[in-house]
Amino acid sequence: MSSPVQLSHEGAVAVIRVNNPPVNALGQAVRAGLLEAFAAAEADAEVKAVVLLCAGTTFIAGADIREFGKPPQAPLLADVTQAIENFSKPSLAVLHGSALGGGLEVALACHYRIARRDARLGLPEVKLGLLPGAGGTQRLPRVAGVAVALEMIVGGEPVTAAEAERTGILDQLFDGDLLAAGLAFAEQLQAQGAGPRRSGEATVCLTGGADNAALLEAKRREVQRSLPGLFSPLRCIAAIEAATVLPLVEGLKRERKLFQECLQSPQRLALVHKFFAERQAGKIKGLDTAVETRPISSVAVIGGGTMGVGIALSLAAAGLAVKLLELDADRLATALQRVASTLDKSVQRGSLSAQAMQQRLALIEGVTDYAALAKVDLAIEAVFEDIAAKQAVFEALDRVCKPGAILSSNTSSLDLNRIAAFTRRPQDVLGLHFFSPANVMRLLEVVRGAQSNAAVLASAMQLGKRLKKVAVVVGVCDGFVGNRMALQYIREAELLVEEGASVQQVDAALGEFGMAMGPFAMLDMSGLDIWQSMRQRQRASLSAGQLLPTLLDRLCAAGRFGQKSGAGFYLYPDGSRTPQPNLQLAELFDELADGVHEDIDPHSLLQRPLYALINEGARILEEGIAQRASDIDVIFLTGYGFPAHLGGPMFYADQLGLDKVLQGIREYQRRFGANWQPAPLLERLVAEGKTFTEWGQQG
Ligand code: 3H9
C-alpha cells in the first residue's frame, strides 16, 4: 500500500504532502510517513528547506480519533512533532481548510506557518475530553502567549486565519495555490538566510510572570464555576501552566502525563462517542447513498409564530431565500417585526454584523397569499398543533406547490402520516421537527413518513447540514423520539413532586447531574400546553394499572402555561425568564399528596426520571422509531441538554450496566406497579449480555 505521505522536490525545497482522505487525520501510517519524509529531507544535502502541505479539502484535522483507547502504535505523535521541531533546516507548514488538534500541533512544530485566508486553526481536544498531547500546550503559549493558549485550548473553538495571524501563530496569509504560496515563502526565507525558528524556544509566555499566574487562576475559577465536574479543562490549564514554569522538555513530560489521565477518563469515552454518534446520525440505514437529492434554494415557512420565525431565521442564516406566510397583513407585520428585532438583538450583542443582518432581512419576504409559494423547493409548516389547522395548510400547499416540492411539517407530536394523507403526494411529505429557538438549537428530527421517498429524506438530511444542524431520522409515533422519551422522564419528575418532593429539589438533582436545566424549568420554557396535549393522548391509551400525574393538567387549567404566561411550575414576574419559586403551588401539591409528604430518597430524585427515560428509549429502539441507540443519544445531547460528558442516555445506561438499570426498573415496578414494566429489549439485552450501543449498530 502506498504511503499517505509523499516526498517530492522543487529545486532545493523538499515538498512533503499528506494525502489521507477525508480529513488527513494523523493515523499511524501518516505519523510514520512524516517521520520518514523529514528524515529523508534531513539526510539529503541538496535540500535546503521543507514545505509541508496537504492534499484535498483540508490540512491535517487532528489525530485519528478512532485510535484512542486502542494500544498505541509507534511512532507517537509527540515524538513526530519533536523530530519535526529538531529538524536542522527551515520547515514551513502551509495550511488550508481545518488545521485542528494534532494538525495544528504539527504546524506549531514546523518553524514557520502560513495559511490560506479561509483556513481555521484550533485545538478542540477538550471537546473530546482530552488536551493537546503532541506539544500543543507547550508550544502555543510560547508562541502566542498564555491568554491565547487558554482561550484556544480550554475553549476548544477554532479561530480564523486572520485571528491566528494577529496573535502571531501565523506568519502570513495568502490566497490561491498552496504549493505556489509555500514555495514563494520558502524562497523568501532562503533569501533572508533564515534558519529554523523553533516554537519550543519562543519566549512570549515566559515573560508574563505574575500576569500569567493571574490569567491561569482566573481561568481555573471560571472553569470550576461554569463547567463543574468536567475532567479535561482543568488539566488543560495545568498543562499550560507547566509551559510557564518548566523547561520545554519537562513541560512536554507533564503534558504527556496529563494527556494520559484524560485518555483514561470515562468522560473521554463519552465525548468521543458523541463525536462519532453525530456523524453516524447522518447515515440512513437502507438508503441508497447514490440517491439524487433535490436542490433547495427557496423555502416557504407557513406560520410566523415563535417557531416559524426561528425557522425562517435559521434558513436565512444559511443563505436560503424564505417566503414567510401569515394569514393576514397584521399578523405578517408582527412576524416580520419579530424577525427584525431578533436580528437586531444579535447585532447589539455583537454576534452579527449590521451587514449580515441586512443580508438576512433581504432574504426573508413576507407573504399572505399561498399563490406566492408556487415555486418554492421546500415548504415548512409551523402553525399551531392542531390537526385541522395542519389539514388546511397541507391542502393549500398541495394545490399551489410545484411538482417535486418537498412539503414538511414542524409538528412536534402529531401523526405525520395523517398529515401526508391531506395531500395527493405523500411521498413528498416528511416532518422537520425543529427545536425552540429554531435559530439556535442544533437538533433537527427528520420524521420519516410511511411513504416519504428516499430523495426527499436525503434532501432533508443535506438541508440539516447546510443549516449547521444535527439531523436525526426518526419514525412516526406520538412525540417522535425526543418528546416521547421526555414525557416519561417528566412523568416521574411530576410523580416525585406529587409524593412530596419540591419542584426545586427535583430540578436541582438533575441540574447537579449535569442536565442543562431541570425538567420543570424545561417544561416552563417550552410551554406546558404542548406537553399537556401529549399527556392527554397518553392518558387515552393507558394500560391497566398505569398511573399518570395530574400537576401539569392542573397548572394548565389554572392558565399557567409556563414562561409565556408568567407562571407555570415557577413564577416569571414582569416578563422575566429566571424561574422563581412558586410558593402558591405548595398548597396545590399538599392537596394532591393528601398532605402526606413521603420521605423521598435523594437517589430516586435522579434515578427515577433517568430510568424512565432509558426504559422508553429501549422501546423506541426496538420499535425502530430510532435507527440506533447513538441517534437517541444525539437527540438528547443536542436537543434536551443531556450532559455531553455522559454521552447521552443510552450510552450512559450502557456505562452504568444494563443489568443494574434493569434491576432498578424491576424494583420500581415492585413499588409503583405498571408504569415500570421493563422494556422487552432491555430484558433481552441483559439476558444476552449486550449493550444498547452494540444492538444499535446491527443492520
Ligand atoms: C487530537 O488531535 C489529539 C492530539 O492532541 C494528539 C495527541 C497525541 N479522526 O465531520 P465530518 C471523519 S484529537 C478520525 O463529517 P466536515 C468523520 O468521522 C483530534 N476521523 O466532515 C467522518 O467520517 P465518516 C482533534 C475523523 O467536513 C469524516 O471524517 N481534531 C476525524 O463536516 C468527515 O467528517 C478534531 O477534533 C479525526 N480526527 O468537518 C477535529 N475527523 O464519513 C475533528 C473527521 O465515515 N473533526 N473524521 O462519517 C472535525 O471537526 C470535522 O471532521 C472537520 C470536517 C471540521 C475536520
Side-chain angles (χ1 to χ4, degrees):
M1 212 174 69
S2 71
S3 169
V5 182
Q6 298 295 328
L7 174 66
S8 61
H9 295 88
E10 297 279 343
V13 176
V15 177
I16 298 177
R17 188 187 306 265
V18 178
N19 185 3
N20 187 29
V23 297
N24 291 316
L26 289 155
Q28 191 276 337
V30 175
R31 299 195 300 273
L34 281 172
L35 264 193
E36 215 172 283
F38 270 91
E42 184 79 276
D44 188 340
E46 302 291 308
V47 169
K48 301 293 179 226
V50 164
V51 166
L52 169 69
L53 47 76
C54 290
T57 55
T58 180
F59 190 72
I60 300 165
D64 188 331
I65 299 170
R66 292 167 303 185
E67 289 183 0
F68 294 144
K70 295 185 182 155
Q73 282 182 294
L76 297 181
L77 187 58
D79 296 334
V80 175
T81 49
Q82 193 55 61
I84 293 176
E85 185 167 77
N86 291 345
F87 193 61
S88 69
K89 309 165 191 182
S91 64
L92 167 70
V94 181
L95 317 183
H96 76 297
S98 302
L100 299 176
L104 182 54
E105 292 178 291
V106 166
L108 283 164
C110 288
H111 305 145
Y112 300 89
R113 289 161 292 281
I114 63 173
R116 208 167 66 188
R117 214 170 288 278
D118 60 0
R120 295 177 329 140
L121 287 72
L123 291 170
E125 284 87 344
V126 72
K127 296 190 177 183
L128 300 170
L130 289 168
L131 52 87
T137 65
Q138 304 307 296
R139 294 194 177 97
L140 182 62
R142 283 177 161 79
V143 167
V146 168
V148 171
L150 283 170
E151 196 59 39
M152 287 181 71
I153 295 173
V154 183
E157 288 301 324
V159 298
T160 61
E163 180 69 9
E165 188 198 25
R166 198 184 59 72
T167 53
I169 301 171
L170 292 173
D171 296 290
Q172 201 178 77
L173 304 183
F174 65 90
D175 294 300
D177 187 63
L178 304 178
L179 181 59
L183 293 175
F185 195 86
E187 202 173 301
Q188 260 180 50
L189 289 174
Q190 277 175 289
Q192 292 161 3
R197 183 199 57 183
R198 299 188 172 89
S199 302
E201 292 165 5
T203 56
V204 175
C205 79
L206 305 179
T207 55
D211 286 354
N212 283 344
L215 286 169
L216 289 158
E217 190 43 34
K219 188 55 114 185
R220 207 170 263 132
R221 278 202 303 273
E222 181 193 320
V223 163
Q224 279 162 344
R225 195 184 59 247
S226 61
L227 305 169
L230 285 200
F231 191 80
S232 71
L234 288 173
R235 280 155 187 82
C236 289
I237 299 171
I240 298 168
E241 185 169 41
T244 67
V245 291
L246 296 176
L248 181 70
V249 177
E250 294 307 314
L252 288 171
K253 278 190 201 151
R254 176 106 180 97
E255 176 193 84
R256 185 85 213 137
K257 185 170 174 295
L258 292 163
F259 179 81
Q260 286 299 335
E261 284 174 19
C262 292
L263 199 59
Q264 305 307 327
S265 126
Q267 296 190 2
R268 189 274 303 165
L269 204 63
L271 288 162
V272 168
H273 166 76
K274 173 177 182 278
F275 177 85
F276 286 115
E278 285 190 9
R279 277 142 188 95
Q280 186 77 355
K283 301 185 173 85
I284 307 176
K285 284 185 185 171
L287 189 82
D288 180 0
T289 46
V291 67
E292 241 184 74
T293 55
R294 297 186 189 169
I296 297 177
S297 60
S298 70
V299 185
V301 177
I302 297 92
T306 312
M307 277 318 284
V309 165
I311 295 169
L313 285 166
S314 172
L315 293 163
L320 288 152
V322 182
K323 290 191 190 295
L324 180 60
L325 184 135
E326 253 302 350
L327 288 177
D328 54 49
D330 282 353
R331 282 180 231 214
L332 182 60
T334 309
L336 292 176
Q337 179 52 41
R338 197 179 281 167
V339 166
S341 77
T342 311
L343 289 172
D344 195 46
K345 276 186 203 134
S346 304
V347 174
Q348 303 300 329
R349 270 201 310 272
S351 59
L352 189 73
S353 70
Q355 189 193 8
M357 170 171 170
Q358 289 312 321
Q359 280 164 353
R360 292 182 196 183
L361 278 176
L363 282 168
I364 302 178
E365 180 194 350
V367 299
T368 51
D369 186 350
Y370 273 92
L373 311 187
K375 291 194 183 140
V376 298
D377 304 311
L378 163 71
I380 305 174
E381 165 276 307
V383 303
F384 52 93
E385 288 288 85
D386 172 73
I387 197 75
K390 308 276 180 196
Q391 177 167 8
V393 172
F394 275 82
E395 285 175 356
L397 290 174
D398 191 29
R399 232 173 12 251
V400 301
C401 289
K402 67 183 181 190
I406 300 171
L407 309 184
S408 72
S409 171
N410 176 53
T411 179
S412 58
S413 60
L414 296 178
D415 182 349
L416 200 262
N417 292 329
R418 251 183 103 187
I419 294 175
F422 296 139
T423 73
R424 288 159 296 171
R425 38 176 135 173
Q427 73 284 355
D428 292 338
V429 179
L430 87 177
L432 289 179
H433 180 208
F434 290 81
F435 285 68
S436 186
N439 49 325
V440 176
M441 297 290 287
R442 283 177 72 221
L443 177 60
L444 177 65
E445 282 184 330
V446 172
V447 189
R448 180 183 205 162
Q451 296 190 56
S452 311
N453 86 13
V456 166
L457 269 178
S459 310
M461 299 306 280
Q462 202 175 56
L463 174 77
K465 201 157 187 184
R466 196 163 161 197
L467 300 184
K468 297 204 169 70
K469 303 221 178 275
V470 183
V472 186
V473 177
V474 299
V476 177
C477 67
D478 201 345
F480 311 122
V481 171
N483 285 350
R484 174 171 154 187
M485 282 173 67
L487 199 61
Q488 302 302 326
Y489 165 82
I490 290 163
R491 177 201 77 201
E492 278 313 301
E494 268 184 87
L495 285 170
L496 280 162
V497 172
E498 291 189 357
E499 289 163 26
S502 75
V503 163
Q504 292 91 317
Q505 247 179 324
V506 177
D507 272 1
L510 285 146
E512 272 162 35
F513 171 74
M515 297 298 292
M517 60 174 74
F520 296 111
M522 179 195 82
L523 282 166
D524 275 359
M525 196 191 68
S526 54
L528 303 193
D529 42 341
I530 296 172
W531 297 95
Q532 192 202 18
S533 58
M534 265 192 287
R535 174 64 62 68
Q536 279 165 346
R537 289 195 294 276
Q538 196 185 18
R539 192 163 273 131
S541 59
L542 279 189
S543 320
Q546 281 186 325
L547 171 78
L548 292 181
T550 57
L551 276 185
L552 190 72
D553 307 84
R554 285 176 175 241
L555 287 170
C556 288
R560 296 160 179 233
F561 298 111
Q563 273 186 28
K564 62 183 170 190
S565 63
F569 285 95
Y570 295 94
L571 295 177
Y572 304 88
D574 307 321
S576 146
R577 287 172 179 229
T578 313
Q580 294 186 8
N582 191 347
L583 297 176
Q584 293 161 335
L585 278 188
E587 294 153 26
L588 181 64
F589 295 166
D590 265 357
E591 179 213 314
L592 283 166
D594 286 328
V596 182
H597 283 202
E598 280 186 22
D599 250 349
I600 304 282
D601 136 39
H603 192 56
S604 39
L605 292 177
L606 187 65
Q607 192 167 285
R608 274 172 56 184
L610 288 176
Y611 279 15
L613 189 70
I614 294 164
N615 202 30
E616 193 66 10
R619 289 185 205 283
I620 278 179
L621 206 50
E622 189 161 29
E623 289 168 26
I625 296 295
Q627 298 190 91
R628 45 181 94 81
S630 62
D631 282 6
I632 298 180
D633 289 332
V634 170
I635 286 173
F636 276 84
L637 290 167
T638 53
Y640 294 82
F642 197 92
H645 65 275
L646 297 176
M650 308 315 272
F651 183 82
Y652 171 70
D654 282 346
Q655 301 307 305
L656 278 180
L658 294 191
D659 50 347
K660 186 176 165 212
V661 175
L662 180 60
Q663 204 184 9
I665 289 177
R666 284 198 177 127
E667 171 60 18
Y668 290 139
Q669 186 184 25
R670 195 183 57 70
R671 283 171 57 195
F672 303 111
N675 279 4
W676 286 97
Q677 182 67 38
L681 176 65
L682 178 60
E683 292 183 309
R684 207 165 78 223
L685 290 175
V686 171
E688 291 171 7
K690 290 197 178 131
T691 62
F692 285 132
T693 307
E694 283 165 338
W695 194 83
Q697 278 162 356
Q698 289 171 347

